[in-house]
Amino acid sequence: MTTDVFILYTGGTIGMGPREPEDPSSPLEPKSIGELFRFLPDFSLYGEKRGGRYRNDGPNPRAVEAGRGGLPFLELDNGNTIRFGSASFERPVDSSDVGPSDWRRMAETIASVYGDYDGFVILHGTDTMAYTASALSFMLQNLGKPVVITGSQLPVSAVRTDAVLNLMNAVFIAGYQAADLPLVPEVVIVFADRIVRGCRASKVSTSDWAGIDSPNAPLLGTIGERIKIRQEAVRPVPERPFALNPALDENVFIIDLFPGFRSDRIEGLFRNPDIRGYILRTYGTGNIPNDGALLGLIRDAIEAGKIVMNLSQCGTGMVEMGLYAASSELIDLGILSGLDMTREAAVTKMMWILGSGAGRPEQELQIDHRGEQSGSLFHLFFGRLPKEDAAAACRRSLIPDARLNRARISRSSLRISNLGLEGAAPGERSTLHAYLNLPETDHRTPADGEKRIATLEFEWNGRPETRIKVVTRKTQAAIGEGEVALTLVSGRPEHRFHFSGLHLEILATA
Ligand code: ASP
């Protein structure tokens, strides 16, 4: 059998050679696709293996004899054939020069030949490979064929190069039918011994063979003597047809915190009206220093309609705001959680969501779209109760986003922002009960029973306070299909409460 694979060459070390051909120690620069294929006779009409090295000394006799309509091809050991089509960036680049307009070109090139090939290989520099892989993951919607990105640590012309094996492995995964491999309908990076989901990848080493890894998510497969694909980890073939969604909004910015960080230095950045989204790289589970000026900048940005996302500087684990006081305030400000995304995925996802003009970017940014994060965060906002309307009981309901998979709820927290009391003297103790999906509730409703999800006990100190309570187990039990109703009841009817926001934050695993 024959499979058709399309190769797009963009540049990178894989196709680089010394600037001065006579001086191997001169700086490396990207060469043409023809130069690259000179060293890969199996992929080309030209070139032949001579004395252990591939040389371009004229037409490859094997290809010419086979008379395959001029298409380069590769004969596999199992007798199957992979035929190639190819294209190249007019001017191949070092990947440090690749940006959103190049991602668009790559996505558009693939879309233009999508129907003609079974799989696609993109040859790319390693420096920003993970950004490209993430961006393409989002831009290529309902992907039903493999898009495999690879490159190398040493140029194809080097004697000890890793280019040939990386390219060969990429070609096998893209031409999966001929290679007797399962279909991986995703953007992936194939590098050294690993197959990485594109939107989970990071460059982790400047020099190791395995320079690209998936630091915070399992590999999709491994490469050794055999190529092993973990089919249970691979995304299913989409039901909808492939579509290109290339609009990106580049007006985003990443800010890294560090001890000694001075928020006044970034005031201009936060107040810049052109920037629509910020990714704040924070400590640990999403903590930031107790710096009123920084919180003020974040608050003003969010109030001005901008988006601020909290992303951890840690390579593994997940943002969990509200775990420590140092991050509780952030949730109240409306900062979004980047969960366990890589910075590459976070920044490209933000460009893509803002560029696509999605109706509720805040919600879309916290939803898993391509396996870029281990779950989706749903923010159920039940509104506010102003001081003038303070009440001893209040019931609110809403219909959650249809994508909330109730069977997969893994964490849930109840948050009552700026909870204040009327009719209680300072120092007096009070309680507040929260019920989920219990229509008839008042202060006599028994404490036991599944549907009381939380009881907050507090001493009223005269100042409204935000309260967060983890209610995972109770939410899992109480939430059914359809509407979600949240009822708050004061333990003492003479104590009337008010709040600026009532929220249920639900994390559902992907
Ligand atoms: N600077 C090169 C690039 O990213 C590095 C590489 O390809 O490994 O294009």
Side-chain angles (χ1 to χ4, degrees), residues 137-456:
S137 304
F138 297 118
M139 295 160 94
L140 303 174
Q141 208 147 355
N142 305 324
L143 197 58
K145 300 180 180 184
V147 173
V148 187
I149 307 180
T150 196
S152 63
Q153 295 285 45
L154 285 179
V156 69
S157 55
V159 177
R160 285 179 63 247
T161 187
D162 49 333
V164 179
L165 205 51
N166 283 351
L167 175 52
M168 204 56 98
N169 290 329
V171 159
F172 269 52
I173 290 161
Y176 61 100
Q177 292 126 315
D180 288 328
L181 289 172
L183 165 63
V184 183
E186 298 196 33
V187 175
V188 295
I189 294 183
V190 165
F191 213 86
D193 59 351
R194 49 206 68 181
I195 306 167
V196 176
R197 172 166 295 147
C199 51
R200 289 292 203 151
S202 284
K203 179 163 180 173
V204 292
S205 170
T206 58
S207 52
D208 288 353
W209 291 135
I212 305 280
D213 202 1
S214 178
N216 208 11
L219 295 173
L220 296 188
T222 51
I223 300 171
E225 210 180 323
R226 287 203 211 109
I227 295 177
K228 290 187 193 150
I229 289 167
R230 292 183 49 239
Q231 271 172 278
E232 71 285 2
V234 172
R235 291 172 74 74
V237 180
E239 282 159 20
R240 302 222 189 131
F242 168 74
L244 178 64
N245 193 346
L248 298 174
D249 187 332
E250 298 166 30
N251 292 306
V252 303
F253 217 94
I254 304 182
I255 298 160
D256 252 284
L257 292 182
F258 55 90
F261 180 90
R262 293 251 316 260
S263 38
D264 54 329
R265 301 245 156 91
I266 53 154
E267 213 179 309
L269 199 59
F270 262 97
R271 303 217 188 278
N272 182 332
D274 294 334
I275 304 181
R276 293 183 62 205
Y278 302 85
I279 293 170
L280 198 58
R281 296 238 306 153
T282 56
Y283 307 126
T285 49
N287 302 312
I288 70 163
N290 186 13
D291 169 353
L294 179 58
L295 288 173
L297 288 177
I298 297 173
R299 180 182 300 110
D300 291 351
I302 293 174
E303 276 172 10
K306 298 175 174 208
I307 280 176
V308 184
M309 179 189 277
N310 185 344
L311 193 70
S312 176
Q313 292 177 5
C314 295
T316 62
M318 190 181 273
V319 166
E320 275 182 82
M321 286 185 279
L323 207 57
Y324 295 96
S327 64
S328 297
E329 256 186 277
L330 293 175
I331 325 183
D332 253 348
L333 293 181
I335 194 167
L336 306 180
S337 170
L339 295 164
D340 57 352
M341 274 192 284
T342 59
R343 63 186 278 151
E344 294 89 336
V347 72
T348 53
K349 181 177 181 178
M350 196 179 267
M351 288 180 185
W352 177 68
I353 294 285
L354 292 177
S356 67
R360 291 181 59 212
E362 295 84 357
Q363 179 62 82
E364 294 308 317
L365 274 163
Q366 295 190 111
I367 296 262
D368 170 44
H369 293 269
R370 305 281 192 263
E372 74 277 9
Q373 55 194 38
S374 307
S376 295
L377 200 58
F378 295 88
H379 182 185
L380 278 49
F381 177 59
F382 292 87
R384 41 195 119 246
L385 185 65
K387 197 170 170 179
E388 314 81 80
D389 300 337
C394 105
R395 182 167 190 272
R396 300 279 169 83
S397 63
L398 52 75
I399 296 182
D401 190 301
R403 290 168 292 183
L404 169 59
N405 184 340
R406 293 151 199 257
R408 289 183 168 269
I409 294 176
S410 63
R411 182 156 54 87
S412 168
S413 53
L414 173 74
R415 180 161 48 96
I416 310 174
S417 303
N418 298 306
L419 173 65
L421 280 190
E422 294 288 301
E428 225 181 320
R429 297 196 65 79
S430 202
T431 51
L432 190 63
H433 306 297
Y435 299 87
L436 253 191
N437 288 349
L438 194 61
E440 303 300 327
T441 334
D442 64 18
H443 65 282
R444 291 175 299 258
T445 305
D448 47 305
E450 283 289 278
K451 302 205 166 177
R452 181 187 281 191
I453 58 163
T455 291
L456 304 176

Side-chain angles (χ1 to χ4, degrees), residues 463-476:
R463 265 189 302 112
E465 259 183 51
T466 293
R467 302 292 297 253
I468 298 177
K469 191 113 183 171
V470 175
V471 293
T472 308
R473 208 180 49 75
K474 295 276 188 172
T475 311
Q476 283 164 336

Side-chain angles (χ1 to χ4, degrees), residues 11-14 16 93-96 124-129 151-154 191 203:
T13 294
I14 190 164
M16 288 193 192
V93 287
D94 186 291
S95 75
S96 47
H124 196 286
T126 60
D127 287 351
T128 65
M129 184 181 277
S152 63
Q153 295 285 45
L154 285 179
F191 213 86
K203 179 163 180 173

